[in-house]
């Protein structure tokens, strides 16, 4: 089923032995446009703990119970889901910048406030060792104000992601094509994306602005059926 990520945010994680935590954001591969990890908050409000759940451990969201099934026990979830070895591009840049300026590197996701705001010190190829993963992106980073950069200029902002909960692919971006209060949302196929720029806070697409502005209006209240997808395919070519 195709669904907006916002319909998953805030859901609890249903493990083998109970429900725990809430889904906050996700990390995805911007080369293959697949979800790689779900980031969730567990623990109490006094002692929060952030964990990453690999996509292959996720089951389908349960609409009736408002949870996401996870093929782990609560103990396994908290023990194995290490954040330190899996850093999205924005945090990789920040850690490198910290070293160059003799700052203390970030140690957790919670301390990485302001992703997508501070410019990186250099290109992604400067990243080295276990930190280097030029394709791992944070959904929160992209939703913090990334623009769509068409062949002839900027057009719209990324508002959400459309996720297929059968295989956790990300076939579309939800784009606000104009500014408030007259803006309308449209769907943009991710296979038209050519790259993502952390420096410019933008997503490059091989389309003209006209193609995006004239795309069929997307309404979240209506399901994305095969007929809707056929219209999009016909429109974008």
């Amino acid at each position: 089923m195709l669904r907006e990520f916002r319909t998953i945010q805030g859901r609890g994680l249903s493990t083998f032995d109970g429900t725990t935590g809430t889904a906050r954001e996700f990390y995805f591969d911007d080369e293959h446009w697949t979800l790689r990890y779900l980031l969730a908050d567990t623990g109490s409000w006094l002692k929060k703990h952030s964990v990453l759940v690999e996509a292959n451990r996720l089951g389908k969201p349960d609409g009736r119970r408002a949870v996401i099934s996870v093929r782990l026990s609560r103990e396994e979830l908290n023990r194995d889901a290490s954040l330190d070895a899996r850093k999205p591009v924005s945090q990789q840049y920040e850690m490198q910048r910290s070293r160059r300026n003799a700052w203390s590197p970030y140690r957790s996701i919670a301390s990485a406030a302001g992703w997508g705001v501070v410019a990186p010190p250099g290109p992604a190829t400067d990243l080295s060792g276990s930190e280097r993963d030029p394709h791992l992106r944070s959904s929160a980073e992209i939703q913090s104000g990334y623009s769509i950069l068409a062949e002839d200029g900027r057009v719209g902002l990324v508002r959400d992601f459309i996720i297929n909960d059968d295989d956790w692919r990300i076939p579309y971006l939800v784009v606000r094509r104009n500014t408030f209060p007259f803006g309308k949302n449209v769907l943009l196929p991710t296979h038209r994306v050519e790259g993502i720029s952390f420096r410019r806070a933008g997503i490059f697409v091989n389309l003209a602005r006209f193609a995006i502005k004239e795309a069929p209006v997307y309404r979240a209240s209506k399901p994305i059926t095969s007929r809707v997808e056929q219209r999009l395919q016909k429109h974008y070519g």
Side-chain angles (χ1 to χ4, degrees), residues 89-90 93 96 100 116-124 126 137 141 146 149 154 196-204:
V89 167
S90 51
Y93 279 130
Q96 187 179 59
R100 290 183 177 182
V117 177
V118 182
D126 287 346
R137 301 279 177 173
E141 171 198 343
Y146 270 51
L149 305 176
R154 293 178 182 264
I196 299 178
S197 172
F198 178 71
R199 285 180 180 275
R200 296 183 63 180
I203 296 178
F204 293 93

Side-chain angles (χ1 to χ4, degrees), residues 173-177 184-188 211-218 232 236:
L173 298 174
V174 180
V175 176
R176 185 83 167 177
R177 67 184 181 188
K184 299 292 185 181
N185 290 340
V186 299
L187 296 181
L188 176 66
I212 299 170
K213 287 182 177 180
E214 297 301 314
V217 173
Y218 165 67
L232 289 170
Y236 287 112

Side-chain angles (χ1 to χ4, degrees), residues 29-82:
D29 183 321
D30 70 5
E31 186 175 33
H32 302 290
W33 288 93
T34 55
L35 186 145
R36 292 201 9 213
Y37 306 103
L38 181 70
L39 177 61
D41 293 324
T42 64
S44 67
W45 67 276
L46 288 173
K47 192 177 180 181
K48 277 192 176 182
H49 177 54
S50 295
V51 296
L52 287 177
V53 185
E54 294 182 356
N56 61 11
R57 296 287 191 176
L58 298 174
K60 279 182 170 290
D62 185 329
R64 183 175 57 85
R65 297 172 55 211
V67 296
I68 305 170
S69 61
V70 178
R71 291 184 284 271
L72 292 167
S73 68
R74 280 186 289 185
E75 181 182 355
E76 288 172 331
L77 181 68
N78 287 287
R79 182 189 65 206
D80 298 337
S82 169

